[in-house]
Amino acid sequence: MSFSRGSRQIFNDISLDIPRGKVTAIMGPSGTGKTTLLKLIGGQLKPDQGSVEMDGNNVHQLTRKDLYQLRKRMGMLFQSGALLTDINVFDNIAYPLREHTDLDDSMIRSLVLMKLNAVGLRGARDLMPSELSGGMARRVAMARAIALDPVMVMYDEPFTGQDPISMGVLVNLIRSMNQSLHLSSIVVSHDVPETMSISDYIYLISDGRVVTQGTPEELKNSSDPWVQQFIEGQSDGPVPFHYAASPVMQDLIGE
Amino acid sequence: MNVLDKLQKLGQSVISVFSRLGQATLFLYEILLTIPGLLLRPSLVIKQLYTTGVQTLVIILVAGCFVGMVLALQAYYVLVDFGAEDSISQMVVLTLMRELGPVMTGLLFAGRAGSALTAEIGLMKSTEQLSGMEMMAIDPMQRVMAPRILAGFLAMPLLTAVFMAVGVLGGYLVAVHGVGIFEGVYWSLAQLKVDFYTDLMNGMIKSVVFGFVIVWIAVFEGYDSVPTSEGLGQATTRTVVHSSLAVLGLDFLLTAIMFGDI
């Protein structure tokens, strides 16, 4: 699949396979198009070439109605949480249930409380999104992402900007929900240790292509210097510390 | 910059204007398609009617009252020289119903409700709430845009009617209790000289057109805004400027059609 924005090529003929029931991580430096990839999978963007298939359906050839049917089987956790700010936590999670099901209020209440209990926020159901911490907002968004019992959940940078406790909670939740709800998870992140600790398989992407792929162990043992620099978080290496410039002495002397 | 460059720049601007107009029309078409489904969910529109209509009411009441009072006062200063001050109500009521009612309400509506709509939708876009809805298989056109368009469309004529009524009362205060016009003359002339269709209905038709254009611009600007704080500020400004100019331009056009021979 290839995709570009204007004249800038974001993906150049990349190919990824997301296995069922596993946690697949997509990692790479900032600005490599990881979030764009999730939007392509979800059908919010259309590739220039190639296709995205989910469960045998070509996402971009579906009618709007069929695409919406497919999306009911996908959950997505946005980086910002994307909670609706004018309704409280309970109503945020009840929202997709009310829109897509004919369940009565008592059944919706039970389902929402179960989802909230799964992320440890049953007691926060009456709070407004503005009253939640960043970590709590992401857990509420996680509860909303699984509200319709999807088969696949996509996590967009779930660990960014989280304190260590929140991060630990989110790491455990992603792993445990994947197992208990038999989900297929896609985690997009550049938080290396956390992502590697829960992933079954990792794709490392940069400059519009898959640089390498494999299990966390395989990546740790990779001999590729770029992969090692990324995983170890080294400041200098194949990706230079300095932005391209003339030699420093020449610049200082002013020539 | 040579002539060719200037010409190229002008051409680019013209193309960009028409391109945005095309986008806005397609956007509106997409929203209009969702309106029938919305009729089954009136609560969504009622909620927006409160936000766009009720919350604009105070500014409409205050402005309407003052506009009516000023009109009466100015009319008195001019007419008294000709001994025709009894005709104050005719001038106040006709001006309010034909022009100032719909135009002033439109301008105030654009500043108060239009800018708020753009800011709200722009913020929903920048905080990924619209994307979030799409990923929950919920169409933001139907759930977010259409109720706001419909509510604005319904609210504007109601607000205009309120503006006119309060303006006439403001004029009454100044004319009768301020400059001493006989109360019976004020009301009877107002009743006698106002035609229900020519004056009141034409004014209301104007308000419906203005309301539709204002919410269309406001909602489109919010949806099309660049999701940054600067982009949101620019979109809000564009809403107020474009919808105010649209109201004034359309007012001329509608007046020419309604009251002239064009």
Side-chain angles (χ1 to χ4, degrees):
Chain A
M1 182 261 295
S2 300
F3 179 76
S4 52
R5 277 186 201 274
S7 58
R8 190 180 160 222
Q9 180 109 39
I10 310 285
F11 297 118
N12 184 13
D13 199 20
I14 62 163
S15 182
L16 290 93
D17 194 20
I18 311 293
R20 204 182 290 264
K22 305 280 185 195
V23 177
T24 306
I26 296 163
M27 296 167 76
S30 301
T32 45
K34 302 188 293 296
T35 303
T36 305
L37 188 60
L38 294 188
K39 290 190 170 179
L40 282 159
I41 295 171
Q44 289 187 296
L45 295 172
K46 199 173 177 182
D48 302 332
Q49 279 181 341
S51 62
V52 177
E53 286 192 15
M54 182 191 164
D55 248 357
N57 296 300
N58 185 334
V59 173
H60 299 94
Q61 282 185 347
L62 296 173
T63 60
R64 191 182 179 88
K65 195 179 166 193
D66 290 338
L67 177 62
Y68 273 26
Q69 286 300 324
L70 188 70
R71 280 181 185 164
K72 289 180 194 171
R73 298 165 61 209
M74 299 177 181
M76 181 153 174
L77 176 81
F78 285 85
Q79 194 173 349
S80 61
L83 297 175
L84 298 173
T85 47
D86 58 339
I87 51 177
N88 67 15
V89 166
F90 182 95
D91 288 332
N92 258 289
I93 295 157
Y95 191 57
L97 293 167
R98 287 177 179 144
E99 288 287 328
H100 296 307
T101 68
D102 296 324
L103 298 172
D104 60 33
D105 282 349
S106 67
M107 181 61 87
I108 286 180
R109 182 177 181 277
S110 304
L111 282 172
V112 170
L113 293 184
M114 280 162 63
K115 305 292 176 192
L116 276 172
N117 199 47
V119 297
L121 290 175
R122 193 164 36 85
R125 60 183 172 235
D126 293 326
L127 297 180
M128 294 300 285
S130 58
E131 296 173 292
L132 302 173
S133 68
M136 287 165 83
R138 237 165 262 190
R139 281 153 68 189
V140 172
M142 212 180 253
R144 191 179 66 176
I146 56 163
L148 291 172
D149 293 327
V151 294
M152 180 178 89
V153 178
M154 298 184 276
Y155 301 92
D156 184 10
E157 303 281 8
F159 313 120
T160 304
Q162 299 297 310
D163 63 64
I165 298 173
S166 296
M167 205 182 268
V169 170
L170 290 167
V171 166
N172 288 332
L173 274 174
I174 292 174
R175 187 74 239 182
S176 63
M177 286 202 314
N178 194 76
Q179 275 172 341
S180 58
L181 303 176
H182 306 293
L183 297 170
S184 306
S185 303
I186 305 176
V187 182
V188 151
S189 178
H190 48 213
D191 292 289
V192 177
E194 290 77 18
T195 310
M196 288 186 95
S197 70
I198 54 166
S199 305
D200 296 305
Y201 201 78
I202 298 172
Y203 287 94
L204 255 179
I205 58 172
S206 180
D207 293 331
R209 62 190 179 88
V210 176
V211 177
T212 188
Q213 54 181 290
T215 62
E217 280 308 310
E218 285 169 350
L219 255 65
K220 275 180 197 162
N221 298 327
S222 169
S223 56
D224 186 330
W226 188 92
V227 174
Q228 284 308 316
Q229 186 188 2
F230 185 81
I231 289 174
E232 300 295 331
Q234 294 156 357
S235 60
D236 209 354
V239 179
F241 171 69
H242 289 288
Y243 191 76
S246 55
V248 64
M249 282 310 290
Q250 191 182 327
D251 238 4
L252 290 173
I253 294 164
E255 285 176 357
Chain B
M1 191 185 277
N2 63 31
V3 181
L4 266 180
D5 286 340
K6 281 181 186 169
L7 214 61
Q8 190 184 22
K9 210 166 181 183
L10 181 72
Q12 267 176 352
S13 308
V14 172
I15 289 171
S16 148
V17 167
F18 278 100
S19 158
R20 263 180 82 75
L21 202 62
Q23 284 169 15
T25 309
L26 285 175
F27 173 78
L28 181 67
Y29 173 70
E30 217 174 317
I31 290 174
L32 292 179
L33 286 181
T34 68
I35 297 257
L38 191 65
L39 299 175
L40 301 171
R41 310 277 298 265
S43 60
L44 290 172
V45 182
I46 292 168
K47 190 180 172 194
Q48 293 308 318
L49 260 177
Y50 175 78
T51 317
T52 49
V54 177
Q55 293 191 339
T56 314
L57 203 53
V58 175
I59 190 173
I60 293 293
L61 286 170
V62 175
C65 184
F66 282 125
V67 168
M69 289 165 83
V70 168
L71 264 179
L73 212 53
Q74 289 288 6
Y76 176 76
Y77 291 147
V78 174
L79 296 172
V80 74
D81 290 343
F82 305 97
E85 64 270 26
D86 284 351
S87 303
I88 286 181
S89 68
Q90 186 184 343
M91 182 168 165
V92 169
V93 175
L94 286 183
T95 313
L96 278 171
M97 292 195 175
R98 287 181 174 196
E99 296 297 337
L100 285 186
V103 171
M104 286 296 293
T105 309
L107 296 177
L108 293 167
F109 187 73
R112 166 64 184 77
S115 59
L117 276 176
T118 304
E120 186 190 13
I121 292 170
L123 203 63
M124 286 183 85
K125 185 183 179 184
S126 66
T127 53
E128 296 181 305
Q129 291 180 53
L130 299 180
S131 286
M133 289 176 91
E134 276 181 5
M135 286 307 295
M136 284 190 280
I138 297 166
D139 186 3
M141 291 294 173
Q142 189 175 45
R143 292 290 180 271
V144 178
M145 312 301 164
R148 283 162 175 78
I149 292 257
L150 206 56
F153 183 65
L154 294 173
M156 247 307 274
L158 297 174
L159 290 170
T160 305
V162 171
F163 186 96
M164 288 173 181
V166 175
V168 172
L169 283 174
Y172 162 81
L173 281 177
V174 170
V176 175
H177 299 288
V179 298
I181 304 295
F182 180 56
E183 190 174 353
V185 172
Y186 185 87
W187 290 120
S188 61
L189 264 183
Q191 194 183 4
L192 194 68
K193 295 290 181 184
V194 173
D195 183 77
F196 180 76
Y197 291 103
T198 316
D199 302 317
L200 185 61
M201 287 317 287
N202 276 341
M204 295 314 284
I205 290 169
K206 279 185 179 181
S207 74
V208 169
V209 175
F210 296 164
F212 181 71
V213 171
I214 292 166
V215 284
W216 177 24
I217 292 173
V219 171
F220 175 70
E221 286 292 353
Y223 186 74
D224 195 48
S225 61
V226 180
T228 59
S229 50
E230 194 189 2
L232 202 55
Q234 285 171 346
T236 313
T237 308
R238 272 200 306 273
T239 290
V240 177
V241 172
H242 290 178
S243 48
S244 300
L245 292 177
V247 164
L248 297 169
L250 282 170
D251 183 49
F252 169 73
L253 202 67
L254 289 171
T255 302
I257 293 168
M258 290 168 173
F259 302 100
D261 294 325
I262 295 175

